[in-house]
Amino acid sequence: MASLELRNVHKRYGSGLPDTLKNIDLKIESGEFLILVGPSGCGKSTLMNCIAGLEDITGGEILVEGSDISGMSPKDRDIAMVFQSYALYPTMNVRDNIAFGLKMRKVPQEKIDEEVARVAKLLQIEHLLTRKPSQLSGGQQQRVAMGRALARRPKIYLFDEPLSNLDAKLRVEMRTEIKLMHQRLKTTTVYVTHDQIEAMTLGDKVAVMKDGIVQQFGTPQQIYNDPANLFVASFIGSPPMNFIPLRVQRQGGQWLAILDSGQARCELPLTVADDAALEGRDVILGVRPEQIVVGKGDVGLPAVRAEVDVIEPTGPDTLVFVSLNDTKVCCRMAPDLAPQVGESLTLQFDPAKVLLFDAQSGERLGAQPAERPRNVAQFKGR
Amino acid sequence: MTSVVGHKPFSPSRLAIHATLLLACAVYLVPLVVMLLTSFKTPDDIRGGNLLSWPDVFTVIGWAKAWDSVGGFFWNSVKITVPAVVISTLLGALNGYVLSMWRFRGSQLFFGLLLFGCFLPFQVILLPASFTLGKLGLANTTTGLVLVHVVYGLAFTTLFFRNFYVSIPDALVRAARLDGAGFFTIFGRILLPMSVPTIMVCLIWQFTQIWNDFLFGVVFASGDSQPITVALNNLVNTSTGAKEYNVDMAAAMIAGLPTLVVYVLAGKYFLRGLTAGAVKG
Amino acid sequence: MSSTAVFAKASPLDALQNWLPKLVLAPSMLIVLVGFYGYIFWTFLLSFTNSRFMPSYKWVGFQQYLRLWDNDRWWVASKNLLVFGGLFIAISLVIGVVLAVLLDQRIRREGFIRTVYLYPMALSMIVTGTAWKWLLNPGLGLDKLLRDWGWDGFRFDWLVDPDRVVYCLVIAAVWQSSGFVMALFLAGLRGVDPSIIRAAQVDGASLPSIYLRIVLPSLRPVFFSALMILAHIAIKSFDLVAAMTAGGPGYASDLPAMFMYAHTFTRGQMGLGAASAMLMLGAVLAIIVPYLYSELRNKRHD
């Protein structure tokens, strides 16, 4: 296994075209699991192809164990990839599919047999070895695709949305299995997905991408609790974070956010550092549904009463929607505490947990400079 | 759309539909039946009877005479068709592979230019092509005809393969590249084994096109190098002596049989070739 | 970074791999550029020369085109093409559509019937022409058959009638190609979403009106494809004329393709032949270009 570092990676398809990838800086240690997540068209798959060598980069360096591989052809990079469509060779049986990469590398036959047996056992596909891919279920094809990558024992594994062709149940199962596999084998892995749950559950590190730029790079917890901007905050989390547009007011050296439910108002003191920046600005208050304290009696936090508009029971939780500052706000409650539609509910907000974003730029306001992700800081310097 | 008509098996409308379809079958079959009947008749029988009258005596004399006059040209057609079909299919497969999996700047433009070849009225290239064949010393040779058929069959063969290969996810090629396979390994080990149906379509299409060709045969070949279509036409349209319609029909059957047999054996692929040609890109 | 990586960058084998696709395509590119476009240009040049039996490069401007304009035989050929092409296309389409719709009614033995309709397409136009020449033979063909069957006084001698001979070409060409139109439309019909038809049935539409108002209009692309291919067959038709009538009687059944061949290769009028070939190309382009244009535009909308 090997460490992987991307330094200032740049990709553009033609001179007149916009950049597909801009100044990508990422680094993971040997054995770490990196998630590239973002909406379609954000450049995550392009970035993965660049790492694999299937596409050339137009600037920067890709370092594996400290040495630049960016000019090498894919076969020399010692990287294996699992594709969304599995890309199993349809005319070869499972055994030949797994063995193909080893044959191409002129590995002796006994060694190939040994490796095929090893991965087949590992993935529990021993009984499928003589079948053709068309005779396999989606989940089995997925395993074979992983087996093909594992057999080569490459330095780095790439997964390109490997679970998105599976049905929901199988997807959850395979997700756990990939996680288990990674815990056992400690393989350096880069995993592309658009599914934020996969991003949260699988990754040691997560890079959230949009428009060819890494919006934030950090651990899943950092991404979830301390998003760098509105995009990251909205992309990660389900149900998504509530965004309440408002103006802040200054009162006795303290910034206050005013929340208005129509029947009541609440002044929420803000714990932001950057005082002057807030003056007269449109801001957006971000608060996750589970961070709104409801139905637990007074816990001594700023509170506002609001009427319940809609109730959505999901089973484990019930989502309750109210209206604040003319915006729909979602709160997550235990089902047994859930109110009826039309009832009023007391919402309490923890000032330490709410986030503030600039309404225009979407940048986070008032976060500690030290917590700022590295590449955002770099951008300002450019 | 699978149908929606009433399910009563013998309603009058269904009877009418069946009757119409069977009548049409008869109409389509009549020329073939007439050809066969005539080919087994004697000239006197032909003059005495009519198109659909049963032969008084079945005789293969027409077939024997026909084979005497066009048999040699039948083998010419084989000598032209087999290499031309194989070479143009192979080239088409390679072109299709590059045009779908290894696109480069200008390759799409080239495909567009090539596609136009499917519509090209060959009259506009006959003269320069005949000059070129003359310069190459290939005028009036079967080799020359092979070359011409390869060149002007390329548009269709490339189209068949390119359209098949663009339907294959290019992840397959990317996976093979990561596995360490090169350009020809990917083609030979992965794509070609998948292409059997397309190869069949292409082979059959090219076979019927080249076997049935008349224009190139009549322009670029003469005498001993002529394909059977030209020989048949010469036989039928010579006005010396009494017309032997039984010989004409037997010769026409000889010229038509190879493609008919292929059609009957592999009609599925034949139809696919026709419709693929129809959709064009 | 490290020196090994730099070496890997410049491996000559990798460089070859990068060039292979272009190398493989190169012969075909050459063939297409020279054999298609170069030759078209060459023919274009010849059409402006006074070439007769041998190519000459004496420039005569538009003289050959003017000669075509004044050439009665060319006008007959062009008019024949319009009549032949128009009738051939129209009749093939009608027969093809009708047969396809009828065959789409869950017919037993559909496969066999389809095979029968389509087999003429596997034959050479020369074979087709030879067969129909015999069938339409005045005196011994259908002419005699129907009289033998009791239709006294029946005459069918279109093949030697300068005013009607072109209809004989139409009959043979329709026999050969209408099954193909049937196959195209049948494939199209099989692609129509059955729920649309069920919806129309629920709305109370009768079967014929479902076909006329809903199903067939949705097959517009198939219709245009068929139209294109038939038009293309018509313009290129040469072998059928050669086998059936050789352009005769006189030049009453001449088509442009026949005209071009006769003048270029047997009458020593190479320049004139080249000019007629260019006009044929023009006719094909006039049909193809709008078709391709609309196809591509539709694709972009998808």
Side-chain angles (χ1 to χ4, degrees), chain A residues 137-357:
Chain A
S137 68
Q140 289 169 333
Q141 291 188 32
Q142 173 66 53
R143 281 166 195 272
V144 176
M146 280 168 58
R148 191 168 62 179
L150 287 169
R152 286 197 8 227
R153 299 179 188 256
K155 287 183 183 149
I156 293 173
Y157 291 88
L158 306 178
F159 288 80
D160 189 3
E161 309 212 15
L163 303 184
S164 51
N165 283 1
L166 299 176
D167 64 53
K169 184 165 173 284
L170 207 51
R171 191 152 59 217
V172 175
E173 281 175 32
M174 285 306 291
R175 192 174 73 206
T176 314
E177 211 157 316
I178 290 175
K179 178 118 189 170
L180 203 66
M181 191 84 61
H182 181 252
Q183 283 170 1
R184 279 171 61 189
L185 302 176
K186 284 289 163 213
T187 50
T188 308
T189 304
V190 181
Y191 186 108
V192 163
T193 181
H194 63 264
D195 182 320
Q196 46 103 7
I197 297 181
E198 283 173 31
M200 292 300 291
T201 51
L202 289 172
D204 293 319
K205 293 277 174 59
V206 177
V208 182
M209 293 184 66
K210 186 192 166 203
D211 300 336
I213 297 170
V214 174
Q215 304 288 323
Q216 187 170 4
F217 177 50
T219 64
Q221 287 65 41
Q222 282 169 342
I223 302 273
Y224 188 79
N225 295 327
D226 203 11
N229 56 36
L230 206 55
F231 173 75
V232 175
S234 65
F235 195 79
I236 303 290
S238 173
M241 185 183 274
N242 295 302
F243 297 112
I244 308 167
L246 46 76
R247 274 248 161 115
V248 288
Q249 290 179 4
R250 191 176 191 126
Q251 213 170 64
Q254 176 74 49
W255 287 102
L256 297 176
I258 312 296
L259 296 172
D260 185 349
S261 70
Q263 56 172 284
R265 278 161 64 97
C266 153
E267 292 175 345
L268 182 63
L270 296 169
T271 57
V272 290
D274 206 5
D275 272 9
L278 291 173
E279 192 73 62
R281 257 191 183 172
D282 286 326
V283 299
I284 288 171
L285 182 90
V287 56
R288 295 203 181 272
E290 61 273 24
Q291 290 170 339
I292 303 174
V293 182
V294 275
K296 293 197 180 139
D298 190 0
V299 292
L301 293 171
V304 63
R305 276 189 79 73
E307 189 182 320
V308 175
D309 293 333
V310 181
I311 291 178
E312 290 180 357
T314 64
D317 302 308
T318 295
L319 304 180
V320 176
F321 292 88
V322 300
S323 194
L324 289 179
N325 294 14
D326 294 326
T327 307
K328 216 162 76 164
V329 171
C330 172
C331 319
R332 187 179 243 169
M333 297 182 73
D336 50 338
L337 299 177
Q340 298 294 311
V341 171
E343 279 181 36
S344 282
L345 198 61
T346 304
L347 316 178
Q348 301 176 74
F349 296 86
D350 183 348
K353 286 186 177 157
V354 299
L355 309 173
L356 271 193
F357 301 95

Side-chain angles (χ1 to χ4, degrees), chain A residues 49 81 88-89 104-105 152, chain B residues 172 174-176 178-180 194:
Chain A
N49 286 335
M81 188 157 168
L88 299 177
Y89 310 128
M104 287 296 114
R105 288 181 163 68
R152 286 197 8 227
Chain B
L172 214 54
R174 289 191 276 146
L178 285 173
D179 271 345
M194 296 171 66

Side-chain angles (χ1 to χ4, degrees), chain A residues 49 52-54 74-75 79-81 83 85-92 97 100-105 148 152 160, chain B residues 102 105 168-182 185-186 188-196:
Chain A
N49 286 335
L54 297 167
K75 66 176 170 22
I79 285 175
M81 188 157 168
F83 292 85
S85 57
Y86 316 134
L88 299 177
Y89 310 128
T91 53
M92 300 181 195
N97 261 284
F100 186 73
L102 300 170
K103 275 188 196 143
M104 287 296 114
R105 288 181 163 68
R148 191 168 62 179
R152 286 197 8 227
D160 189 3
Chain B
W102 299 88
R105 186 188 288 265
I168 293 175
D170 56 354
L172 214 54
V173 170
R174 289 191 276 146
R177 285 176 71 196
L178 285 173
D179 271 345
T185 316
I186 296 173
R189 297 280 295 269
I190 294 165
L191 287 179
L192 218 47
M194 296 171 66
S195 318
V196 176

Side-chain angles (χ1 to χ4, degrees), chain B residues 1 3 5 7 14 21 28 38 47-50 95 113-114 119 124 132 152 183 212 237 245 259 263 281, chain C residues 28 35 37 39 43 104-106 115 117 119 122 133-134 137 144 148 178 189-190 197 211 232 288 299:
Chain B
M1 182 186 87
S3 180
V5 177
H7 302 283
R14 279 193 74 74
L21 289 172
Y28 280 100
T38 308
R47 253 169 277 281
N50 60 42
N95 287 346
L113 290 176
L114 184 74
F119 299 104
V124 290
T132 312
Y152 296 105
F183 181 83
N212 289 341
N237 285 320
Y245 292 109
T259 49
Y263 170 67
Chain C
S28 299
Y37 296 91
Y39 283 8
T43 304
D104 194 32
Q105 309 305 325
R106 285 201 204 141
T115 307
Y117 291 168
Y119 86 90
K133 186 180 185 172
W134 169 231
N137 184 312
K144 186 171 185 215
D148 279 8
S178 51
L189 287 172
R190 295 284 143 88
I197 290 129
Y211 269 99
H232 191 234
I288 299 293
K299 264 185 196 150

Side-chain angles (χ1 to χ4, degrees), chain C residues 7-22:
Chain C
F7 275 113
K9 270 184 186 181
S11 150
L13 215 69
D14 286 347
L16 179 69
Q17 281 284 338
N18 288 336
W19 276 96
L20 262 180
K22 289 168 199 172

